[in-house]
């Protein structure tokens, strides 16, 4: 079940997420049939000092957080060019690579004594292929393969890492929902959460009011878990 709502917490949140970037670092991905590059922080041609591991080290060193929350997954379930061939997370070599990247994120995130909360990736519904079937990156199998890695990592580092099942919160019963409780919780692309804040010129943006409503909806469903992580004993 979900924790009770209506509480207040004395917290400071530093949002340092990067667009078009998850755990994988590479050159090209294929999403909805379109081939394109990773975001700058995950681009293999980006200087190492500007890639996400270096940036995360800097954030942790400067902020000295009590808890670090990680939400990734989309860039781990799309087709990607890895080791000279197109593959995906259901292929053991690429899955092992994602596991190593996840372990690296945990090692960096907890390096100053913080507890790390891994958020499961939510289900996706980005449309249909020309033949009428869903895009493979929206498959339950790929999503499960990624989310299983989170639970395995938490089992290996029980004193430092926990998992919050964001997927269960926004996709109850494993089903995609654009709205819940009368609140718009997903962007029109079927991938993001409401994203007007990225710019009103974005394709099919949500309104500012929808973004605000989503924040009020999701906050009480996540904050208790993050606060609990901040209060977890340091071993």
């Amino acid at each position: 079940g979900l924790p009770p709502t209506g509480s207040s917490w004395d917290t400071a949140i530093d949002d340092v997420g990067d667009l078009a970037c998850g755990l994988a670092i590479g050159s090209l991905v294929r999403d909805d049939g379109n081939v394109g590059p990773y975001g700058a922080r995950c681009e293999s041609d980006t200087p190492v000092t500007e890639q996400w591991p270096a940036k995360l080290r800097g954030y942790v060193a400067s902020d000295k957080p009590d808890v670090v929350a990680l939400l990734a997954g989309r860039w781990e379930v799309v087709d990607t060019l890895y080791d000279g061939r197109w593959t995906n997370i259901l292929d053991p070599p690429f899955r092992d690579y994602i596991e190593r990247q996840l372990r690296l994120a945990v090692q960096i995130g907890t390096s100053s004594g913080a507890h790390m909360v891994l958020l499961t990736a939510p289900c996706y519904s980005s449309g249909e292929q020309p033949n009428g079937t869903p895009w493979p990156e929206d498959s339950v199998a790929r999503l499960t393969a990624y989310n299983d890695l989170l639970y395995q990592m938490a089992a290996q580092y029980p004193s430092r890492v926990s998992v919050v099942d964001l997927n269960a919160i926004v996709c109850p019963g494993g089903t995609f929902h654009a709205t819940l409780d009368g609140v718009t919780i997903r962007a029109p692309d079927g991938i993001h959460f409401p994203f007007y804040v990225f710019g009103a010129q974005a394709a099919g943006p949500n309104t500012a009011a929808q973004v605000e409503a989503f924040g009020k909806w999701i906050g009480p469903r996540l904050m208790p878990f993050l606060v609990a992580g901040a209060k977890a004993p340091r071993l």
Side-chain angles (χ1 to χ4, degrees):
L2 297 176
T5 59
S7 300
S8 61
W9 303 277
D10 182 13
T11 59
I13 299 175
D14 190 359
D15 179 5
V16 294
D18 283 306
L19 302 181
C21 184
L23 295 166
I25 294 176
S27 57
L28 295 174
V29 293
R30 185 167 55 210
D31 194 11
D32 288 357
N34 299 308
V35 174
Y38 284 87
R41 301 291 189 212
C42 287
E43 169 61 55
S44 55
D45 287 340
T46 297
V48 173
T49 55
E50 295 299 317
Q51 292 177 359
W52 73 256
K55 289 300 179 180
L56 182 57
R57 286 190 186 94
Y59 295 139
V60 170
S62 62
D63 290 5
K64 294 180 174 54
D66 294 309
V67 61
V68 175
L70 172 70
L71 173 60
R74 182 61 179 182
W75 293 95
E76 286 62 52
V77 299
V78 297
D79 291 343
T80 186
L81 190 63
Y82 176 74
D83 200 21
R85 63 189 181 91
W86 285 99
T87 187
N88 64 74
I89 198 168
L90 299 181
D91 183 35
F94 186 67
R95 178 194 175 282
D96 291 346
Y97 167 68
I98 295 301
E99 182 178 8
R100 293 194 298 273
Q101 291 295 95
L102 178 59
R103 192 182 308 279
L104 175 61
V106 167
Q107 290 171 343
I108 297 172
T110 61
S111 60
S112 67
H115 186 85
M116 194 151 190
V117 174
L118 306 177
L119 302 172
T120 59
C123 65
Y124 305 111
S125 182
S126 62
E128 296 180 343
Q129 302 181 70
N131 64 7
T133 62
W135 291 103
E137 53 267 30
D138 291 348
S139 74
V140 173
R142 293 194 188 188
L143 185 74
T144 300
Y146 172 74
N147 286 337
D148 281 351
L149 288 177
L150 307 187
Y151 287 101
Q152 293 170 23
M153 197 63 58
Q156 294 174 30
Y157 303 97
S159 66
R160 291 191 283 165
V161 180
S162 57
V163 176
V164 171
D165 196 356
L166 177 63
N167 183 42
I169 295 173
V170 300
C171 300
T175 302
F176 179 89
H177 292 266
T179 63
L180 281 174
D181 304 319
V183 176
T184 297
I185 66 166
R186 302 300 286 270
D189 61 11
I191 299 171
H192 296 92
F193 297 115
F195 66 101
Y196 180 87
V197 290
F198 291 173
Q201 74 279 7
N206 295 102
T207 67
Q210 287 173 327
V211 172
E212 182 178 3
F214 172 69
K216 292 179 179 178
W217 182 88
I218 195 66
R221 289 165 169 78
L222 284 183
M223 282 302 296
F225 294 115
L226 302 184
V227 172
K231 294 180 178 178
R234 305 294 187 262
L235 299 178

